[in-house]
C-alpha cells in the first residue's frame, strides 16, 4: 500500500519562485522516507502541500489513500505533522497543550490526559510537564512538538527537520523514538532533513531535493552504489589550481568522472588506492600540487555532489571547510 503518492506536485509563488517544480512521490506504508535538501530546496513547501496546509499550483497528491484536495479534513485526521517553525502557546504547560490537542482530535477528557502523560514520558518531558512552555529550551520545544504530532495516533507522520539545531544527545533521542515508532508500530514517516547522516541512519528511501526537483532517489545503499567507485577528494590552494588539476585528471587512465566544487576536486575511479601515487605525480607535473588528498568509499555526500553539482551545505564542519573561500584554511 502506498502511504503517500504524488504526481507532478508543484508550487509556484508568483512567476519567479518555483518552490516545488513538479515532483513525483511514492512512499510505501511502513517506510521512513528521507527528504534531503539544503535550505530553500522546497522541503517545507512539499510537506505543507501533503498535509493540506497549502494548495498546490498543479499536480495531485494522495495521503493514506485520500486525495489532499478532495478531502483535506480526512487527510488531517490520518496524519501527524511537526513543522519546522514551532508555534506553541508559551503560557500553557506542556501537559495542558498535549491534553488540549487530544481533546481537539476528539478524545474523551480522561483518555486525552492518559495519552498526554504517556507521550510526555516518551519525549522525556515528564519533569517539565507542569511548567509553562516559555521556560523550555529549544530542544524541549522540539520534543513537545513531536509529541503533539503523535497525540491522535496517526499512521503517517510528517517531521520537518525534526533535529535541526538540537544537541547531539537530544537528536539521538529523537532518532531512537522515530525508529521505535516505525519498527514497533509501523508508523510511516516523511522526514525532511539537511543532515546527510540523519538520512543515512534513518531513511529506508532517500529523495534528494535540489531547487524544487527530485534529482536522485533510492535507498542509501543503492544511492551509494550508483557512484560505484572509490572517490579521491583533493583540495588545492586556489580555484585556478583546482581547475588545472581537474583538466589533467580528466585525462588520467581509469578516471570515470571529475567534479569541481570551489578549490576542491573529487575524482571517481575504481581502485583508488593503486592510483594515488600516480595522481600525486601527475598534479605536480601539471603545476597544481594538492594540499590534501583523501581516499574513501562513496558516501551520501558524494551522491549529493554528483546529483546537484554542489556539496550539501549542512552546517557541518566539513561543509564549512569546503565552502571556505580560496581554501585558505
Ligand atoms: N509563502 C511563500 N512566499 C514566497 N516564497 C516562498 C514562500 N514559502 C517558501 N518560499 C520560497 O520557496 C522556496 C522553497 O522554500 P521551502 O519549501 O521553505 O524550502 P526548504 O524547506 O527546503 O528550506 C524558497 O526559495 C522560499 O524562499
Ligand atoms: Mg524548510
Amino acid at each position: 500500500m502506498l502511504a503517500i503518492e504524488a504526481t507532478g506536485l508543484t508550487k509556484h509563488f508568483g512567476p519567479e519562485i518555483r518552490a516545488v517544480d513538479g515532483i513525483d512521490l511514492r512512499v510505501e506504508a511502513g517506510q521512513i522516507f528521507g527528504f534531503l535538501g539544503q535550505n530553500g530546496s522546497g522541503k517545507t513547501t512539499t510537506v505543507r502541500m501533503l498535509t493540506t496546509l497549502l494548495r498546490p499550483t498543479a499536480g495531485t497528491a494522495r495521503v493514506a489513500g485520500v486525495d489532499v484536495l478532495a478531502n483535506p479534513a480526512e487527510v488531517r485526521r490520518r496524519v501527524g505533522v511537526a513543522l519546522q517553525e514551532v508555534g506553541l502557546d508559551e503560557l500553557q504547560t506542556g501537559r495542558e497543550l498535549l491534553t488540549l490537542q487530544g481533546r481537539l482530535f476528539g478524545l474523551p477528557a480522561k483518555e486525552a490526559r492518559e495519552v498526554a502523560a504517556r507521550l510526555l514520558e516518551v519525549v522525556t518531558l515528564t519533569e517539565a510537564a507542569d511548567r509553562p512552555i516559555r521556560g523550555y529550551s529549544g530542544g524541549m520545544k522540539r520534543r513537545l512538538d513531536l509529541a503533539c504530532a503523535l497525540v491522535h495516533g496517526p499512521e503517517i507522520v510528517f517531521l520537518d527537520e525534526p533535529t535541526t539545531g538540537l544537541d547531539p544527545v537530544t537528536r539521538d533521542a529523537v532518532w531512537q523514538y522515530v525508529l521505535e515508532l516505525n519498527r514497533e508500530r509501523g508508523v510511516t514517516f516523511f522526514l525532511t532533513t539537511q543532515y546527510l547522516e540523519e538520512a543515512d541512519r534513518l531513511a529506508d528511501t532517500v529523495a534528494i531535493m535540489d531547487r524544487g526537483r527530485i534529482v536522485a532517489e533510492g535507498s542509501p545503499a543503492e544511492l551509494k552504489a550508483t557512484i560505484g567507485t572509490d572517490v579521491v577528494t583533493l583540495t588545492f590552494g586556489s580555484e585556478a589550481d583546482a581547475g588545472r588539476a581537474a583538466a589533467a585528471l580528466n585525462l588520467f587512465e581509469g578516471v570515470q568522472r571529475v567534479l569541481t566544487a570551489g578549490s576542491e576536486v573529487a575524482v571517481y575511479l575504481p581502485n583508488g588506492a593503486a592510483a594515488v601515487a600516480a595522481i600525486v605525480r601527475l598534479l605536480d607535473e601539471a603545476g597544481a600540487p594538492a594540499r590534501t588528498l583523501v581516499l574513501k568509499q562513496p558516501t551520501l555526500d558524494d551522491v549529493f555532489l554528483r546529483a546537484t553539482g554542489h556539496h550539501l551545505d549542512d552546517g557541518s564542519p566539513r561543509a564549512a571547510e569546503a565552502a571556505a573561500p580560496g581554501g585558505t584554511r
Side-chain angles (χ1 to χ4, degrees):
M1 212 249 329
L2 286 176
I4 302 168
E5 191 179 5
T7 308
L9 196 63
T10 303
K11 183 72 196 183
H12 294 172
F13 294 104
E16 298 286 307
I17 303 169
R18 301 173 166 224
V20 176
D21 209 11
I23 63 171
D24 297 335
L25 290 168
R26 294 172 66 81
V27 179
E28 298 282 343
Q31 274 209 332
I32 299 178
F33 188 85
F35 208 52
L36 177 69
Q38 60 188 18
N39 260 331
S41 57
K43 302 183 298 297
T44 298
T45 305
T46 301
V47 168
R48 285 164 55 84
M49 287 192 285
L50 292 174
T51 55
T52 77
L53 301 172
L54 189 68
R55 199 183 168 83
T57 308
T60 60
R62 297 174 80 80
V63 174
V66 182
D67 189 294
V68 294
L69 286 175
N71 202 345
E74 176 62 14
V75 170
R76 269 178 249 156
R77 262 192 296 278
R78 307 280 289 270
V79 309
V81 55
L83 285 174
Q84 204 174 349
E85 284 81 32
V86 182
L88 300 170
D89 178 350
E90 302 267 300
L91 293 176
Q92 278 182 323
T93 69
R95 188 187 306 280
E96 284 165 355
L97 176 75
L98 282 179
T99 310
L100 176 69
Q101 287 283 322
R103 298 287 284 148
L104 289 175
F105 276 107
L107 298 183
K110 180 163 173 285
E111 202 183 327
R113 278 198 303 276
E114 284 166 5
V115 168
R118 201 167 64 229
L119 283 170
L120 285 163
E121 196 68 41
V122 159
V123 296
T124 59
L125 284 176
T126 301
E127 260 177 60
D130 299 305
R131 300 207 299 263
I133 294 164
R134 92 175 98 82
Y136 288 16
S137 69
M140 292 162 80
K141 287 181 190 168
R142 267 297 156 101
R143 281 179 285 154
L144 183 61
D145 199 43
L146 179 61
C148 278
L150 301 169
V151 161
H152 57 300
E155 59 206 277
I156 304 172
V157 175
F158 292 82
L159 301 179
D160 195 13
E161 298 199 25
T163 65
T164 296
L166 292 189
D167 63 88
V169 173
T170 311
R171 187 197 59 187
D172 281 353
V174 170
W175 286 1
Q176 207 50 51
Y177 188 51
V178 166
L179 284 170
E180 196 180 305
L181 279 175
N182 174 257
R183 305 291 186 250
E184 284 166 23
R185 285 210 258 147
V187 175
T188 305
F189 282 91
F190 187 98
L191 175 149
T192 82
T193 183
Q194 42 181 318
Y195 298 131
L196 293 158
E197 192 197 347
E198 184 159 272
D200 206 357
R201 260 286 292 280
L202 295 185
D204 300 301
T205 304
V206 175
I208 296 178
M209 270 296 260
D210 191 44
R211 283 168 251 161
R213 290 168 190 260
I214 292 173
V215 293
E217 187 174 343
S219 71
E222 278 165 7
L223 287 171
K224 290 176 205 168
T226 62
I227 300 282
T229 59
D230 290 339
V231 186
V232 178
T233 306
L234 303 143
T235 58
F236 295 90
S238 67
E239 289 193 21
D241 276 4
R244 263 201 306 285
L249 287 163
N250 257 315
L251 305 173
F252 189 77
E253 193 178 337
V255 166
Q256 294 175 350
R257 185 185 291 259
V258 179
L259 291 176
T260 312
S263 57
E264 188 182 303
V265 174
V267 184
Y268 300 86
L269 76 177
N271 200 358
V276 163
I279 285 177
V280 170
R281 268 199 309 279
L282 175 78
L283 295 176
D284 278 339
E285 281 161 21
R291 286 197 163 180
T292 64
L293 180 153
V294 178
L295 167 68
K296 57 183 172 59
Q297 308 279 290
T299 65
L300 273 189
D301 189 42
D302 298 306
V303 176
F304 193 89
L305 176 63
R306 179 142 105 188
T308 66
H310 54 85
H311 279 293
L312 180 64
D313 183 10
D314 62 359
S316 69
R318 192 214 41 71
E321 189 99 349
T328 45
R329 285 199 281 163

